[in-house]
Short mmCIF file of all heavy atoms in Angstrom, two decimals:
data_model
loop_
_atom_site.label_atom_id
_atom_site.label_comp_id
_atom_site.label_asym_id
_atom_site.label_seq_id
_atom_site.Cartn_x
_atom_site.Cartn_y
_atom_site.Cartn_z
N MET A 1 -8.59 16.77 -41.87
CA MET A 1 -8.51 17.39 -40.55
C MET A 1 -9.19 16.51 -39.50
O MET A 1 -8.75 16.37 -38.38
CB MET A 1 -9.20 18.77 -40.59
CG MET A 1 -8.37 19.81 -41.31
SD MET A 1 -6.74 20.05 -40.55
CE MET A 1 -7.12 21.32 -39.35
N LYS A 2 -10.30 15.91 -39.95
CA LYS A 2 -11.05 15.08 -38.99
C LYS A 2 -10.21 13.91 -38.51
O LYS A 2 -10.18 13.59 -37.33
CB LYS A 2 -12.32 14.56 -39.67
CG LYS A 2 -13.56 15.29 -39.17
CD LYS A 2 -14.81 14.57 -39.64
CE LYS A 2 -16.06 15.35 -39.20
NZ LYS A 2 -17.27 14.71 -39.69
N SER A 3 -9.53 13.27 -39.49
CA SER A 3 -8.77 12.08 -39.10
C SER A 3 -7.61 12.47 -38.17
O SER A 3 -7.20 11.70 -37.32
CB SER A 3 -8.24 11.38 -40.35
OG SER A 3 -7.37 12.24 -41.04
N ARG A 4 -7.09 13.67 -38.37
CA ARG A 4 -5.98 14.11 -37.53
C ARG A 4 -6.47 14.28 -36.08
O ARG A 4 -5.80 13.92 -35.13
CB ARG A 4 -5.44 15.45 -38.05
CG ARG A 4 -4.00 15.66 -37.63
CD ARG A 4 -3.52 16.99 -38.11
NE ARG A 4 -2.61 16.88 -39.23
CZ ARG A 4 -1.91 17.90 -39.70
NH1 ARG A 4 -2.05 19.11 -39.16
NH2 ARG A 4 -1.09 17.75 -40.70
N LYS A 5 -7.67 14.81 -35.98
CA LYS A 5 -8.25 15.01 -34.65
C LYS A 5 -8.48 13.65 -33.99
O LYS A 5 -8.24 13.45 -32.80
CB LYS A 5 -9.58 15.76 -34.79
CG LYS A 5 -9.86 16.62 -33.58
CD LYS A 5 -11.12 17.45 -33.82
CE LYS A 5 -11.29 18.50 -32.75
NZ LYS A 5 -12.55 19.24 -32.94
N LEU A 6 -8.95 12.72 -34.82
CA LEU A 6 -9.23 11.38 -34.30
C LEU A 6 -7.95 10.73 -33.80
O LEU A 6 -7.91 10.12 -32.73
CB LEU A 6 -9.86 10.53 -35.42
CG LEU A 6 -10.29 9.12 -34.99
CD1 LEU A 6 -11.49 9.20 -34.06
CD2 LEU A 6 -10.63 8.29 -36.22
N LEU A 7 -6.88 10.92 -34.58
CA LEU A 7 -5.59 10.34 -34.21
C LEU A 7 -5.13 10.92 -32.87
O LEU A 7 -4.65 10.20 -31.99
CB LEU A 7 -4.57 10.64 -35.31
CG LEU A 7 -3.24 9.87 -35.16
CD1 LEU A 7 -3.46 8.39 -35.45
CD2 LEU A 7 -2.20 10.45 -36.10
N ALA A 8 -5.32 12.23 -32.75
CA ALA A 8 -4.91 12.89 -31.50
C ALA A 8 -5.71 12.34 -30.33
O ALA A 8 -5.18 12.09 -29.25
CB ALA A 8 -5.12 14.40 -31.62
N THR A 9 -6.99 12.12 -30.60
CA THR A 9 -7.85 11.58 -29.54
C THR A 9 -7.39 10.18 -29.16
O THR A 9 -7.29 9.84 -27.98
CB THR A 9 -9.31 11.55 -30.01
OG1 THR A 9 -9.67 12.83 -30.51
CG2 THR A 9 -10.24 11.18 -28.87
N LEU A 10 -7.11 9.37 -30.18
CA LEU A 10 -6.67 8.00 -29.91
C LEU A 10 -5.35 8.00 -29.13
O LEU A 10 -5.16 7.20 -28.22
CB LEU A 10 -6.50 7.24 -31.22
CG LEU A 10 -7.83 6.82 -31.89
CD1 LEU A 10 -7.54 6.16 -33.24
CD2 LEU A 10 -8.61 5.85 -31.00
N THR A 11 -4.46 8.90 -29.52
CA THR A 11 -3.18 8.99 -28.81
C THR A 11 -3.40 9.35 -27.36
O THR A 11 -2.81 8.77 -26.45
CB THR A 11 -2.28 10.04 -29.48
OG1 THR A 11 -2.19 9.75 -30.87
CG2 THR A 11 -0.88 10.03 -28.88
N ALA A 12 -4.29 10.33 -27.17
CA ALA A 12 -4.59 10.76 -25.80
C ALA A 12 -5.17 9.61 -25.01
O ALA A 12 -4.80 9.38 -23.85
CB ALA A 12 -5.56 11.93 -25.84
N ILE A 13 -6.06 8.84 -25.66
CA ILE A 13 -6.69 7.72 -24.95
C ILE A 13 -5.66 6.66 -24.59
O ILE A 13 -5.64 6.15 -23.47
CB ILE A 13 -7.82 7.11 -25.82
CG1 ILE A 13 -9.02 8.08 -25.84
CG2 ILE A 13 -8.24 5.76 -25.26
CD1 ILE A 13 -10.11 7.66 -26.81
N SER A 14 -4.77 6.35 -25.55
CA SER A 14 -3.79 5.30 -25.26
C SER A 14 -2.82 5.75 -24.17
O SER A 14 -2.40 4.96 -23.34
CB SER A 14 -3.04 4.92 -26.53
OG SER A 14 -2.36 6.02 -27.05
N LEU A 15 -2.48 7.05 -24.17
CA LEU A 15 -1.62 7.57 -23.11
C LEU A 15 -2.33 7.46 -21.76
O LEU A 15 -1.75 7.07 -20.77
CB LEU A 15 -1.26 9.03 -23.38
CG LEU A 15 -0.14 9.26 -24.40
CD1 LEU A 15 0.03 10.74 -24.65
CD2 LEU A 15 1.17 8.65 -23.91
N PHE A 16 -3.61 7.80 -21.79
CA PHE A 16 -4.40 7.76 -20.56
C PHE A 16 -4.48 6.32 -20.06
O PHE A 16 -4.33 6.04 -18.87
CB PHE A 16 -5.79 8.30 -20.84
CG PHE A 16 -6.68 8.28 -19.62
CD1 PHE A 16 -6.52 9.25 -18.63
CD2 PHE A 16 -7.64 7.31 -19.46
CE1 PHE A 16 -7.32 9.23 -17.51
CE2 PHE A 16 -8.44 7.28 -18.33
CZ PHE A 16 -8.29 8.25 -17.36
N THR A 17 -4.69 5.38 -21.00
CA THR A 17 -4.78 3.97 -20.62
C THR A 17 -3.47 3.50 -20.01
O THR A 17 -3.46 2.80 -19.00
CB THR A 17 -5.13 3.11 -21.85
OG1 THR A 17 -6.28 3.66 -22.48
CG2 THR A 17 -5.43 1.68 -21.43
N ALA A 18 -2.36 3.90 -20.62
CA ALA A 18 -1.05 3.51 -20.09
C ALA A 18 -0.86 4.06 -18.69
O ALA A 18 -0.40 3.37 -17.79
CB ALA A 18 0.05 4.02 -21.02
N ALA A 19 -1.27 5.32 -18.52
CA ALA A 19 -1.15 5.95 -17.21
C ALA A 19 -2.02 5.21 -16.19
O ALA A 19 -1.62 4.98 -15.06
CB ALA A 19 -1.56 7.42 -17.29
N ALA A 20 -3.21 4.83 -16.64
CA ALA A 20 -4.13 4.12 -15.75
C ALA A 20 -3.53 2.77 -15.35
O ALA A 20 -3.65 2.33 -14.22
CB ALA A 20 -5.47 3.92 -16.44
N MET A 21 -2.87 2.11 -16.31
CA MET A 21 -2.26 0.82 -16.01
C MET A 21 -1.12 0.97 -15.00
O MET A 21 -0.95 0.16 -14.11
CB MET A 21 -1.72 0.18 -17.30
CG MET A 21 -2.84 -0.47 -18.10
SD MET A 21 -2.32 -0.91 -19.75
CE MET A 21 -1.59 -2.51 -19.42
N PHE A 22 -0.37 2.06 -15.17
CA PHE A 22 0.70 2.31 -14.19
C PHE A 22 0.11 2.56 -12.82
O PHE A 22 0.63 2.12 -11.81
CB PHE A 22 1.54 3.52 -14.63
CG PHE A 22 2.62 3.17 -15.61
CD1 PHE A 22 2.65 3.69 -16.88
CD2 PHE A 22 3.62 2.27 -15.23
CE1 PHE A 22 3.64 3.35 -17.78
CE2 PHE A 22 4.62 1.93 -16.12
CZ PHE A 22 4.62 2.46 -17.40
N ALA A 23 -1.02 3.27 -12.82
CA ALA A 23 -1.68 3.58 -11.54
C ALA A 23 -2.10 2.29 -10.86
O ALA A 23 -1.97 2.16 -9.65
CB ALA A 23 -2.88 4.49 -11.79
N VAL A 24 -2.60 1.34 -11.65
CA VAL A 24 -3.03 0.06 -11.06
C VAL A 24 -1.82 -0.66 -10.48
O VAL A 24 -1.89 -1.22 -9.39
CB VAL A 24 -3.72 -0.81 -12.14
CG1 VAL A 24 -3.94 -2.22 -11.60
CG2 VAL A 24 -5.06 -0.19 -12.52
N ASP A 25 -0.71 -0.62 -11.23
CA ASP A 25 0.51 -1.28 -10.73
C ASP A 25 0.94 -0.66 -9.41
O ASP A 25 1.35 -1.35 -8.50
CB ASP A 25 1.64 -1.16 -11.76
CG ASP A 25 1.51 -2.23 -12.83
OD1 ASP A 25 0.70 -3.14 -12.63
OD2 ASP A 25 2.21 -2.15 -13.84
N ASP A 26 0.85 0.66 -9.35
CA ASP A 26 1.24 1.36 -8.13
C ASP A 26 0.38 0.89 -6.96
O ASP A 26 0.86 0.67 -5.88
CB ASP A 26 1.08 2.87 -8.30
CG ASP A 26 2.32 3.47 -8.94
OD1 ASP A 26 3.31 2.72 -9.07
OD2 ASP A 26 2.29 4.64 -9.32
N LYS A 27 -0.90 0.76 -7.25
CA LYS A 27 -1.82 0.37 -6.18
C LYS A 27 -1.49 -1.03 -5.68
O LYS A 27 -1.63 -1.33 -4.51
CB LYS A 27 -3.26 0.40 -6.70
CG LYS A 27 -3.88 1.76 -6.50
CD LYS A 27 -5.35 1.75 -6.89
CE LYS A 27 -5.89 3.17 -6.92
NZ LYS A 27 -7.22 3.22 -7.52
N LYS A 28 -1.07 -1.88 -6.60
CA LYS A 28 -0.74 -3.24 -6.18
C LYS A 28 0.48 -3.26 -5.26
O LYS A 28 0.56 -4.05 -4.35
CB LYS A 28 -0.42 -4.09 -7.42
CG LYS A 28 -1.65 -4.78 -7.98
CD LYS A 28 -1.27 -5.67 -9.13
CE LYS A 28 -2.48 -6.08 -9.93
NZ LYS A 28 -2.10 -6.71 -11.19
N GLU A 29 1.41 -2.35 -5.54
CA GLU A 29 2.64 -2.38 -4.75
C GLU A 29 2.55 -1.51 -3.49
O GLU A 29 3.28 -1.73 -2.55
CB GLU A 29 3.81 -1.89 -5.61
CG GLU A 29 4.28 -2.98 -6.56
CD GLU A 29 5.35 -2.47 -7.49
OE1 GLU A 29 6.11 -1.59 -7.08
OE2 GLU A 29 5.40 -2.94 -8.63
N ALA A 30 1.66 -0.53 -3.52
CA ALA A 30 1.60 0.42 -2.41
C ALA A 30 1.27 -0.20 -1.05
O ALA A 30 1.98 0.06 -0.09
CB ALA A 30 0.63 1.53 -2.75
N PRO A 31 0.21 -1.00 -0.96
CA PRO A 31 -0.16 -1.44 0.39
C PRO A 31 0.64 -2.64 0.89
O PRO A 31 0.07 -3.61 1.37
CB PRO A 31 -1.64 -1.77 0.25
CG PRO A 31 -1.86 -2.08 -1.19
CD PRO A 31 -0.67 -1.59 -1.95
N VAL A 32 1.95 -2.55 0.77
CA VAL A 32 2.77 -3.63 1.30
C VAL A 32 2.69 -3.57 2.82
O VAL A 32 2.99 -2.56 3.42
CB VAL A 32 4.23 -3.47 0.85
CG1 VAL A 32 5.10 -4.54 1.51
CG2 VAL A 32 4.32 -3.58 -0.65
N SER A 33 2.30 -4.66 3.39
CA SER A 33 2.19 -4.67 4.84
C SER A 33 3.51 -5.13 5.43
O SER A 33 3.93 -6.27 5.24
CB SER A 33 1.07 -5.62 5.24
OG SER A 33 0.98 -5.67 6.64
N LYS A 34 4.17 -4.20 6.08
CA LYS A 34 5.47 -4.54 6.67
C LYS A 34 5.45 -4.15 8.13
O LYS A 34 5.26 -3.00 8.49
CB LYS A 34 6.56 -3.78 5.92
CG LYS A 34 7.94 -4.29 6.28
CD LYS A 34 8.98 -3.60 5.41
CE LYS A 34 10.33 -3.70 6.06
NZ LYS A 34 10.93 -2.43 6.40
N GLN A 35 5.65 -5.11 8.96
CA GLN A 35 5.63 -4.85 10.39
C GLN A 35 6.95 -4.22 10.81
O GLN A 35 8.00 -4.60 10.33
CB GLN A 35 5.43 -6.18 11.13
CG GLN A 35 5.06 -6.00 12.58
CD GLN A 35 4.70 -7.33 13.22
OE1 GLN A 35 5.26 -8.37 12.89
NE2 GLN A 35 3.76 -7.32 14.14
N ALA A 36 6.87 -3.28 11.72
CA ALA A 36 8.09 -2.65 12.23
C ALA A 36 8.90 -3.69 13.00
O ALA A 36 8.34 -4.60 13.61
CB ALA A 36 7.73 -1.49 13.13
N GLY A 37 10.20 -3.57 12.93
CA GLY A 37 11.09 -4.56 13.55
C GLY A 37 10.82 -4.74 15.03
O GLY A 37 10.75 -5.86 15.53
N CYS A 38 10.62 -3.62 15.72
CA CYS A 38 10.40 -3.69 17.16
C CYS A 38 9.10 -4.42 17.47
O CYS A 38 9.02 -5.19 18.42
CB CYS A 38 10.35 -2.27 17.74
SG CYS A 38 9.20 -1.18 16.89
N CYS A 39 8.09 -4.22 16.62
CA CYS A 39 6.79 -4.86 16.84
C CYS A 39 6.89 -6.35 16.56
O CYS A 39 6.29 -7.17 17.26
CB CYS A 39 5.75 -4.22 15.94
SG CYS A 39 5.57 -2.45 16.20
N ALA A 40 7.66 -6.72 15.53
CA ALA A 40 7.84 -8.13 15.20
C ALA A 40 8.54 -8.85 16.34
O ALA A 40 8.17 -9.97 16.70
CB ALA A 40 8.64 -8.25 13.91
N LYS A 41 9.54 -8.17 16.91
CA LYS A 41 10.27 -8.76 18.04
C LYS A 41 9.34 -8.98 19.21
O LYS A 41 9.35 -10.04 19.84
CB LYS A 41 11.39 -7.80 18.46
CG LYS A 41 12.76 -8.24 17.99
CD LYS A 41 13.81 -7.34 18.63
CE LYS A 41 15.10 -7.38 17.82
NZ LYS A 41 16.07 -6.41 18.31
N ALA A 42 8.55 -7.96 19.49
CA ALA A 42 7.63 -8.05 20.63
C ALA A 42 6.63 -9.17 20.41
O ALA A 42 6.32 -9.93 21.32
CB ALA A 42 6.92 -6.72 20.81
N GLU A 43 6.17 -9.28 19.16
CA GLU A 43 5.17 -10.30 18.87
C GLU A 43 5.75 -11.70 19.02
O GLU A 43 5.11 -12.62 19.51
CB GLU A 43 4.62 -10.10 17.46
CG GLU A 43 3.32 -10.84 17.25
CD GLU A 43 2.79 -10.63 15.84
OE1 GLU A 43 2.32 -9.53 15.55
OE2 GLU A 43 2.87 -11.57 15.03
N LYS A 44 6.99 -11.85 18.60
CA LYS A 44 7.65 -13.15 18.73
C LYS A 44 7.78 -13.55 20.19
O LYS A 44 7.76 -14.73 20.53
CB LYS A 44 9.05 -13.09 18.09
CG LYS A 44 9.03 -13.55 16.65
CD LYS A 44 10.44 -13.64 16.11
CE LYS A 44 10.43 -13.85 14.60
NZ LYS A 44 11.78 -13.78 14.04
N ALA A 45 7.94 -12.54 21.04
CA ALA A 45 8.06 -12.78 22.47
C ALA A 45 6.69 -12.92 23.12
O ALA A 45 6.59 -13.02 24.34
CB ALA A 45 8.84 -11.65 23.11
N GLY A 46 5.66 -12.91 22.29
CA GLY A 46 4.31 -13.05 22.82
C GLY A 46 3.78 -11.79 23.45
O GLY A 46 2.87 -11.81 24.25
N LYS A 47 4.40 -10.66 23.08
CA LYS A 47 3.98 -9.39 23.66
C LYS A 47 3.48 -8.45 22.57
O LYS A 47 3.57 -8.76 21.39
CB LYS A 47 5.17 -8.72 24.37
CG LYS A 47 5.62 -9.46 25.61
CD LYS A 47 6.90 -8.80 26.13
CE LYS A 47 7.57 -9.70 27.15
NZ LYS A 47 8.93 -9.22 27.44
N VAL A 48 3.04 -7.29 23.01
CA VAL A 48 2.67 -6.24 22.07
C VAL A 48 3.68 -5.12 22.27
O VAL A 48 4.03 -4.79 23.40
CB VAL A 48 1.25 -5.72 22.35
CG1 VAL A 48 0.92 -4.55 21.44
CG2 VAL A 48 0.23 -6.84 22.16
N CYS A 49 4.17 -4.58 21.17
CA CYS A 49 5.16 -3.52 21.25
C CYS A 49 4.61 -2.35 22.07
O CYS A 49 3.48 -1.93 21.85
CB CYS A 49 5.52 -3.05 19.84
SG CYS A 49 6.80 -1.81 19.84
N ASP A 50 5.39 -1.87 23.00
CA ASP A 50 4.88 -0.81 23.87
C ASP A 50 5.38 0.57 23.49
O ASP A 50 5.26 1.51 24.26
CB ASP A 50 5.19 -1.12 25.34
CG ASP A 50 6.69 -1.29 25.60
OD1 ASP A 50 7.46 -1.13 24.64
OD2 ASP A 50 7.06 -1.58 26.75
N HIS A 51 5.97 0.69 22.31
CA HIS A 51 6.34 2.03 21.84
C HIS A 51 5.07 2.85 21.66
O HIS A 51 4.12 2.35 21.07
CB HIS A 51 7.08 1.96 20.49
CG HIS A 51 8.47 1.42 20.62
ND1 HIS A 51 9.21 1.09 19.52
CD2 HIS A 51 9.23 1.15 21.70
CE1 HIS A 51 10.39 0.63 19.94
NE2 HIS A 51 10.42 0.65 21.24
N GLU A 52 5.09 4.07 22.13
CA GLU A 52 3.91 4.91 22.00
C GLU A 52 3.49 5.06 20.55
O GLU A 52 2.32 4.98 20.21
CB GLU A 52 4.20 6.29 22.58
CG GLU A 52 3.30 6.61 23.77
CD GLU A 52 3.62 7.97 24.35
OE1 GLU A 52 3.27 8.96 23.71
OE2 GLU A 52 4.24 8.00 25.43
N CYS A 53 4.48 5.26 19.69
CA CYS A 53 4.18 5.48 18.28
C CYS A 53 3.55 4.24 17.66
O CYS A 53 2.65 4.31 16.84
CB CYS A 53 5.46 5.87 17.53
SG CYS A 53 6.84 4.75 17.80
N CYS A 54 4.02 3.07 18.09
CA CYS A 54 3.50 1.81 17.54
C CYS A 54 2.09 1.55 18.05
O CYS A 54 1.23 1.09 17.30
CB CYS A 54 4.41 0.65 17.94
SG CYS A 54 6.09 0.87 17.37
N VAL A 55 1.85 1.87 19.32
CA VAL A 55 0.52 1.67 19.90
C VAL A 55 -0.48 2.55 19.17
O VAL A 55 -1.57 2.10 18.80
CB VAL A 55 0.53 2.01 21.41
CG1 VAL A 55 -0.88 1.98 21.98
CG2 VAL A 55 1.42 1.02 22.16
N GLU A 56 -0.08 3.79 18.92
CA GLU A 56 -0.97 4.73 18.21
C GLU A 56 -1.26 4.23 16.81
O GLU A 56 -2.39 4.26 16.34
CB GLU A 56 -0.33 6.12 18.15
CG GLU A 56 -0.46 6.90 19.44
CD GLU A 56 -1.92 7.10 19.85
OE1 GLU A 56 -2.74 7.48 19.01
OE2 GLU A 56 -2.23 6.86 21.04
N ALA A 57 -0.22 3.75 16.12
CA ALA A 57 -0.39 3.27 14.76
C ALA A 57 -1.28 2.04 14.75
O ALA A 57 -2.14 1.88 13.89
CB ALA A 57 0.97 2.94 14.15
N ALA A 58 -1.10 1.17 15.74
CA ALA A 58 -1.88 -0.06 15.82
C ALA A 58 -3.36 0.25 16.03
O ALA A 58 -4.23 -0.44 15.51
CB ALA A 58 -1.36 -0.94 16.94
N LYS A 59 -3.63 1.31 16.78
CA LYS A 59 -5.02 1.71 17.02
C LYS A 59 -5.71 2.03 15.71
O LYS A 59 -6.90 1.78 15.54
CB LYS A 59 -5.05 2.95 17.92
CG LYS A 59 -5.06 2.60 19.41
CD LYS A 59 -5.24 3.89 20.21
CE LYS A 59 -4.83 3.68 21.65
NZ LYS A 59 -4.75 4.98 22.36
N ALA A 60 -4.94 2.61 14.79
CA ALA A 60 -5.49 2.98 13.49
C ALA A 60 -5.41 1.81 12.52
O ALA A 60 -5.79 1.93 11.36
CB ALA A 60 -4.73 4.18 12.94
N GLY A 61 -4.90 0.67 12.98
CA GLY A 61 -4.81 -0.52 12.13
C GLY A 61 -3.61 -0.48 11.21
O GLY A 61 -3.54 -1.22 10.23
N ASN A 62 -2.63 0.38 11.53
CA ASN A 62 -1.45 0.49 10.67
C ASN A 62 -0.20 -0.01 11.37
O ASN A 62 -0.15 -0.05 12.60
CB ASN A 62 -1.23 1.96 10.28
CG ASN A 62 -2.39 2.51 9.49
OD1 ASN A 62 -2.94 1.83 8.64
ND2 ASN A 62 -2.76 3.73 9.78
N ASN A 63 0.77 -0.38 10.57
CA ASN A 63 2.09 -0.66 11.13
C ASN A 63 2.79 0.66 11.36
O ASN A 63 2.58 1.62 10.61
CB ASN A 63 2.89 -1.53 10.15
CG ASN A 63 2.38 -2.95 10.11
OD1 ASN A 63 2.22 -3.60 11.14
ND2 ASN A 63 2.09 -3.44 8.92
N CYS A 64 3.62 0.73 12.37
CA CYS A 64 4.26 1.99 12.73
C CYS A 64 5.28 2.40 11.67
O CYS A 64 6.25 1.69 11.43
CB CYS A 64 4.92 1.87 14.09
SG CYS A 64 5.71 3.41 14.59
N GLU A 65 5.02 3.56 11.04
CA GLU A 65 5.93 4.02 10.00
C GLU A 65 7.18 4.63 10.60
O GLU A 65 8.23 4.67 9.98
CB GLU A 65 5.20 5.03 9.11
CG GLU A 65 4.18 4.34 8.21
CD GLU A 65 3.43 5.33 7.33
OE1 GLU A 65 3.81 6.50 7.27
OE2 GLU A 65 2.45 4.89 6.70
N LYS A 66 7.08 5.12 11.82
CA LYS A 66 8.25 5.72 12.47
C LYS A 66 9.31 4.65 12.71
O LYS A 66 10.50 4.93 12.74
CB LYS A 66 7.84 6.34 13.81
CG LYS A 66 7.24 7.71 13.66
CD LYS A 66 7.01 8.33 15.04
CE LYS A 66 6.12 9.56 14.91
NZ LYS A 66 5.76 10.08 16.23
N CYS A 67 8.86 3.42 12.92
CA CYS A 67 9.80 2.33 13.19
C CYS A 67 10.01 1.47 11.94
O CYS A 67 10.29 0.28 12.03
CB CYS A 67 9.28 1.50 14.35
SG CYS A 67 9.02 2.46 15.84
N LYS A 68 9.84 2.10 10.79
CA LYS A 68 10.10 1.45 9.49
C LYS A 68 9.11 0.37 9.14
O LYS A 68 9.42 -0.52 8.35
CB LYS A 68 11.53 0.91 9.45
CG LYS A 68 12.53 2.06 9.50
CD LYS A 68 13.93 1.58 9.32
CE LYS A 68 14.90 2.75 9.38
NZ LYS A 68 16.28 2.34 9.38
N GLY A 69 7.94 0.41 9.71
CA GLY A 69 6.86 -0.46 9.25
C GLY A 69 6.09 0.28 8.19
O GLY A 69 6.34 1.45 7.95
N SER A 70 5.16 -0.42 7.52
CA SER A 70 4.35 0.27 6.52
C SER A 70 3.08 -0.50 6.24
O SER A 70 2.99 -1.70 6.52
CB SER A 70 5.14 0.44 5.22
OG SER A 70 5.41 -0.82 4.67
N GLY A 71 2.10 0.20 5.72
CA GLY A 71 0.85 -0.44 5.34
C GLY A 71 -0.01 -0.81 6.53
O GLY A 71 0.24 -0.40 7.66
N LYS A 72 -1.02 -1.60 6.23
CA LYS A 72 -1.97 -2.01 7.26
C LYS A 72 -1.44 -3.23 8.00
O LYS A 72 -0.72 -4.04 7.44
CB LYS A 72 -3.31 -2.36 6.60
CG LYS A 72 -3.98 -1.19 5.93
CD LYS A 72 -4.84 -0.44 6.92
CE LYS A 72 -5.42 0.82 6.28
NZ LYS A 72 -6.02 1.69 7.29
N ILE A 73 -1.86 -3.35 9.21
CA ILE A 73 -1.51 -4.55 9.98
C ILE A 73 -2.28 -5.72 9.41
O ILE A 73 -3.48 -5.65 9.20
CB ILE A 73 -1.86 -4.36 11.46
CG1 ILE A 73 -0.94 -3.31 12.09
CG2 ILE A 73 -1.74 -5.68 12.21
CD1 ILE A 73 -1.32 -2.96 13.51
N GLU A 74 -1.57 -6.80 9.12
CA GLU A 74 -2.24 -7.99 8.57
C GLU A 74 -2.98 -8.69 9.69
O GLU A 74 -2.42 -8.94 10.76
CB GLU A 74 -1.20 -8.93 7.95
CG GLU A 74 -0.72 -8.44 6.61
CD GLU A 74 0.34 -9.35 6.02
OE1 GLU A 74 0.97 -10.09 6.80
OE2 GLU A 74 0.53 -9.30 4.82
N LYS A 75 -4.21 -9.01 9.39
CA LYS A 75 -4.99 -9.71 10.42
C LYS A 75 -4.59 -11.18 10.47
O LYS A 75 -4.52 -11.84 9.45
CB LYS A 75 -6.48 -9.56 10.10
CG LYS A 75 -6.96 -8.18 10.47
CD LYS A 75 -8.42 -7.98 10.12
CE LYS A 75 -8.81 -6.52 10.36
NZ LYS A 75 -10.11 -6.21 9.81
N LYS A 76 -4.32 -11.63 11.63
CA LYS A 76 -3.85 -13.01 11.77
C LYS A 76 -4.87 -13.89 12.47
O LYS A 76 -4.58 -14.98 12.91
CB LYS A 76 -2.55 -13.03 12.54
CG LYS A 76 -1.42 -12.50 11.66
CD LYS A 76 -0.17 -12.21 12.47
CE LYS A 76 0.86 -11.55 11.57
NZ LYS A 76 2.01 -11.07 12.33
N ALA A 77 -6.09 -13.38 12.54
CA ALA A 77 -7.13 -14.12 13.26
C ALA A 77 -7.41 -15.45 12.59
O ALA A 77 -7.68 -16.45 13.26
CB ALA A 77 -8.41 -13.27 13.29
N GLU A 78 -7.31 -15.49 11.24
CA GLU A 78 -7.65 -16.73 10.53
C GLU A 78 -6.60 -17.82 10.76
O GLU A 78 -6.92 -18.99 10.76
CB GLU A 78 -7.78 -16.44 9.04
CG GLU A 78 -9.14 -15.81 8.75
CD GLU A 78 -9.27 -15.43 7.29
OE1 GLU A 78 -8.78 -16.19 6.45
OE2 GLU A 78 -9.84 -14.37 7.00
N LYS A 79 -5.38 -17.38 10.95
CA LYS A 79 -4.33 -18.36 11.19
C LYS A 79 -4.53 -19.09 12.51
O LYS A 79 -4.17 -20.24 12.66
CB LYS A 79 -2.97 -17.65 11.22
CG LYS A 79 -2.23 -17.73 9.90
CD LYS A 79 -0.83 -17.18 10.07
CE LYS A 79 -0.14 -17.06 8.73
NZ LYS A 79 1.18 -16.44 8.88
N ALA A 80 -5.08 -18.38 13.47
CA ALA A 80 -5.23 -18.92 14.82
C ALA A 80 -6.24 -20.05 14.88
O ALA A 80 -6.21 -20.88 15.76
CB ALA A 80 -5.64 -17.81 15.78
N LYS A 81 -7.16 -20.09 13.89
CA LYS A 81 -8.23 -21.09 13.93
C LYS A 81 -7.74 -22.51 13.70
O LYS A 81 -6.92 -22.71 12.85
CB LYS A 81 -9.29 -20.74 12.87
CG LYS A 81 -10.31 -19.78 13.44
CD LYS A 81 -11.33 -19.40 12.38
CE LYS A 81 -12.16 -18.24 12.89
NZ LYS A 81 -13.05 -17.77 11.84
ZN1 LIG B 1 7.04 -1.23 17.60
ZN1 LIG B 2 6.91 2.81 16.45
#
């Protein structure tokens, strides 16, 4: 009986580990930083997108999800140096 319990525990642990590994994979893919098209266009023109939704999102450091952006805005300060 003891070994059966141990086996169940090991199975539970391996399932948990697999789930944890999937969770890590999700985390790696989740924060994809994608700039909204309108914002990218504005930036190329040397401007800042003036959509209200984009301005609000930018204040929070995010790309505008309403305009199909996602994730955090990538900081480009290092490139400028
Ligand atoms: Zn925009
Ligand atoms: Zn927007």
